[in-house]
Amino acid sequence: MFSIQKTSFVSLVAFLIVLLTGCEKDFEQVNSNPNNPETVNPELLMVTIIRGTVNQMVNEAFSTGNMVAQYAAEIREPNTDRYIWGSFDTWNNGYTILRDVNNLKKIAEERNLANYKGIALVMKSLIYSRMTDAYGDLPYAEALKGKETQAVYSPAYDSQEVVYQGLLKDLAEANTLLTTAGGAIRNDILFNGDISKWKKLANSLRIRLLVRQSKRVDPSSALREILASPTNFPIMQTNADNAALKYVEAPNLFPITSQRSGFFFDRRMSKTFIDLLNASKDPRLPVFAAPTAESQEALAAGKGPLQWVGVRNGETDQNLGSNLDKKVSALSDQYYRGLQTPVPAQGLIMTVAEVKFLLAEAAQRGWITGSAETYYYDGIKASVEQYQLVSGTALMASAEFLARPGVAFNPANALALIGTQKWIALYFTDLQGWHEWKRTGFPDLKPAFVNNNNDKIPVRFRYPTAQQVTNRASYTEAVQRQGPDDINTRSWWAK
């Protein structure tokens, strides 16, 4: 009897050991959180980075960039238009996405994914350039190190000069990393995995930054190196190379379509922009803006033609009389309806038209060889073709249009023509029209008709108020170096 009990006891112990071992083996699997995986797919991070960045660019173009660069105007509650500026979201949104960029870069380095690292460096450069161009000096080398072994909770502000050096270095490295041997890119919502287009964006952004800092650093040598070897340093050549996020379906929805209709239609076209386009009979005008409701009604009654009318920045419906909604042009339906238009809306990062205008200026200033006139006309033609493709309508940069006053190339005022046509081509492209105006002074923008900034167009954003509390020492040092933390202090490259 004792022997039977002993045997049963041993069997029971063995059974329990097997049972417990099995439970322990499955414990991690059962208790893992599928919503917080330990292994992150780089393509998922990349999609989040691209979508988040471009959505911010579209929203800021609509809410701020279009107003301060005088493409559009606010006709109700015109705080932005009258330079009643508080804090903008560019800073916090930028650093939030940069955390994902850092993670993507680390994952790419750990797994030897050269192309993903190259994309991370391109996006890092794009985001930081947006931020430094808006604010000036900012945390760069020590930024985003709060979770590292040697944590930095109060990062120093680097000068804009140092930031630009870092961005140009990163873009040069990205150009080296991005190759067909660097592995396939999956779920690429910007270029559909085409590494050559990422490479062209990297080098085109280099050209943008080299020209932007040209008052401080001679760009000649670097520009000539890029242009001398198109195989090693390819740049955008056609509209097929444009960096533009196409909002084709959910979850890639055009951000403006989520705005209430009243908010959208409180923005109308600026008189500055519309008058210039009307004067040259610019073929892009019907794509940029809607004809006035008043002229549409007249045309329906057989009393046309359609008209495009802008409003002075800083004016409102209160001092422009009744029926203002019918008298001035809204932004075109393409920007309001998004996916409902024949050709889905796009979020513009950079286009070949901008590249051509940058090279036109470089040639005119003697930084590179080549014809400034040829680059200039190529820029106009590329922009018109771009909006033909975007709108699905027949547009053409006709010989007649290119010969009109204000468009025809003239060496005597070439820089003004190049700057003005580049400004037109940068419509609804982030804050780029504003940044280029700050650098070149073209076109000759006048302050808003009514404004709260002593008749001066702002040239930067204020730092977030929280920086004075959470990072006061670094903030104070940056202000002492750069100048007062207000909207009239020019940053390093703009002085």
Side-chain angles (χ1 to χ4, degrees):
M1 183 176 179
F2 175 78
S3 177
I4 296 173
Q5 289 178 337
K6 183 178 179 179
T7 302
S8 299
F9 176 75
V10 171
S11 299
L12 177 61
V13 170
F15 172 75
L16 291 173
I17 289 173
V18 172
L19 178 64
L20 290 173
T21 302
C23 290
E24 186 175 301
K25 182 179 179 182
D26 295 337
F27 181 79
E28 289 186 4
Q29 179 178 350
V30 171
N31 288 277
S32 63
N33 182 357
N35 296 318
N36 189 23
E38 294 181 6
T39 303
V40 179
N41 291 325
E43 60 265 28
L44 297 181
L45 269 178
M46 181 189 66
V47 169
T48 299
I49 291 164
I50 295 171
R51 182 187 298 125
T53 301
V54 180
N55 283 357
Q56 286 179 25
M57 295 171 72
V58 170
N59 280 325
E60 290 187 30
F62 177 73
S63 64
T64 308
N66 285 355
M67 258 61 68
V68 70
Q70 297 186 17
Y71 300 118
E74 295 171 303
I75 60 173
R76 297 179 184 89
E77 301 179 5
N79 288 347
T80 301
D81 227 3
R82 292 183 175 179
Y83 316 142
I84 306 171
W85 286 14
S87 179
F88 291 94
D89 294 331
T90 311
W91 180 285
N92 292 332
N93 287 342
Y95 280 115
T96 296
I97 295 179
L98 281 167
R99 292 187 182 92
D100 284 336
V101 174
N102 270 2
N103 290 333
L104 176 59
K105 179 172 175 288
K106 289 177 182 177
I107 291 170
E109 289 172 341
E110 291 168 357
R111 304 181 194 175
N112 196 28
L113 304 172
N115 282 334
Y116 281 108
K117 182 179 178 181
I119 291 172
L121 291 176
V122 172
M123 295 306 297
K124 174 187 174 184
S125 300
L126 172 66
I127 297 166
Y128 265 120
S129 66
R130 296 189 68 241
M131 294 165 63
T132 188
D133 288 347
Y135 294 95
D137 298 0
L138 44 68
Y140 180 68
E142 294 183 353
L144 306 172
K145 292 188 174 183
K147 292 186 178 181
E148 296 190 3
T149 303
Q150 295 181 331
V152 178
Y153 298 110
S154 300
Y157 283 50
D158 288 293
S159 69
Q160 188 174 65
E161 179 180 11
V162 169
V163 174
Y164 258 63
Q165 289 171 356
L167 302 184
L168 289 166
K169 180 176 179 292
D170 282 346
L171 288 170
E173 183 180 357
N175 175 69
T176 301
L177 289 167
L178 292 163
T179 67
T180 54
I185 300 297
R186 295 181 293 273
N187 298 334
D188 180 2
I189 60 174
L190 184 60
F191 290 130
N192 197 30
D194 190 332
I195 298 304
S196 68
K197 291 185 179 180
W198 278 106
K199 201 174 182 78
K200 290 175 182 178
L201 175 58
N203 290 308
S204 298
L205 283 173
R206 283 180 69 195
I207 292 174
R208 175 194 279 178
L209 299 187
L210 287 166
V211 172
R212 189 153 292 170
Q213 68 167 12
S214 59
K215 286 185 178 180
R216 294 290 189 169
V217 180
D218 186 346
S220 303
S221 177
L223 289 174
R224 289 173 182 173
E225 180 187 22
I226 292 171
L227 297 179
S229 182
T231 301
N232 293 327
F233 304 105
I235 62 175
M236 294 178 181
Q237 296 290 352
T238 71
N239 278 306
D241 299 326
N242 288 351
L245 179 60
K246 298 175 179 63
Y247 292 95
V248 292
E249 59 185 9
N252 292 334
L253 295 176
F254 190 54
I256 309 305
T257 59
S258 65
Q259 303 284 359
R260 59 180 175 82
S261 61
F263 185 69
F264 179 87
F265 288 108
D266 284 349
R267 269 76 174 164
R268 294 303 170 109
M269 301 308 297
S270 169
K271 179 176 172 61
T272 305
F273 193 45
I274 293 297
D275 283 0
L276 186 64
L277 298 177
N278 273 327
S280 62
K281 298 180 181 178
D282 195 300
R284 293 164 289 186
L285 176 56
V287 183
F288 292 153
T292 65
E294 198 171 65
S295 70
Q296 292 182 60
E297 292 175 359
L299 182 64
K303 300 178 181 178
L306 294 175
Q307 295 181 341
W308 285 262
V309 178
V311 60
R312 287 192 296 185
N313 291 81
E315 288 194 301
T316 68
D317 52 347
Q318 294 179 341
N319 60 330
L320 285 173
S322 60
N323 295 324
L324 179 63
D325 287 336
K326 291 188 174 184
K327 294 178 179 178
V328 295
S329 294
L331 284 67
S332 75
D333 273 1
Q334 154 184 320
Y335 300 101
Y336 175 52
R337 301 188 184 279
L339 301 181
Q340 300 175 35
T341 54
V343 180
Q346 297 183 6
L348 300 176
I349 297 175
M350 192 172 191
T351 67
V352 66
E354 180 186 350
V355 174
K356 296 297 185 182
F357 288 124
L358 289 167
L359 296 178
E361 179 183 350
Q364 184 64 26
R365 292 186 184 276
W367 298 331
I368 62 172
T369 58
S371 168
E373 180 176 0
T374 299
Y375 282 128
Y376 170 76
Y377 282 129
D378 284 349
I380 297 175
K381 292 173 185 176
S383 181
V384 173
E385 181 190 52
Q386 170 193 338
Y387 284 100
Q388 175 186 345
L389 297 171
V390 166
S391 65
T393 58
L395 305 180
M396 185 174 65
S398 65
E400 181 185 3
F401 166 62
L402 296 175
R404 287 178 184 141
V407 180
F409 187 81
N410 182 350
N413 65 334
L415 291 176
L417 289 168
I418 293 167
T420 299
Q421 285 297 324
K422 186 200 300 177
W423 170 76
I424 294 173
L426 288 173
Y427 172 60
F428 226 118
T429 305
D430 190 24
L431 305 172
Q432 295 306 313
W434 177 45
H435 295 324
E436 280 299 278
W437 168 81
K438 288 187 292 184
R439 183 180 69 84
T440 68
F442 301 122
D444 183 20
L445 302 181
K446 305 300 181 186
F449 176 66
V450 177
N451 68 79
N452 287 56
N453 194 40
N454 297 316
D455 286 334
K456 291 183 286 188
I457 299 174
V459 293
R460 71 178 287 272
F461 292 165
R462 292 186 181 91
Y463 293 122
T465 304
Q467 284 292 298
Q468 300 181 41
V469 178
T470 61
N471 197 10
R472 186 166 185 80
S474 298
Y475 163 86
T476 301
E477 181 184 357
V479 170
Q480 290 173 345
R481 177 176 60 238
Q482 180 171 263
D485 183 15
D486 64 41
I487 60 179
N488 299 310
T489 296
R490 287 184 172 268
S491 63
W492 168 75
W493 61 251
K495 290 180 179 178

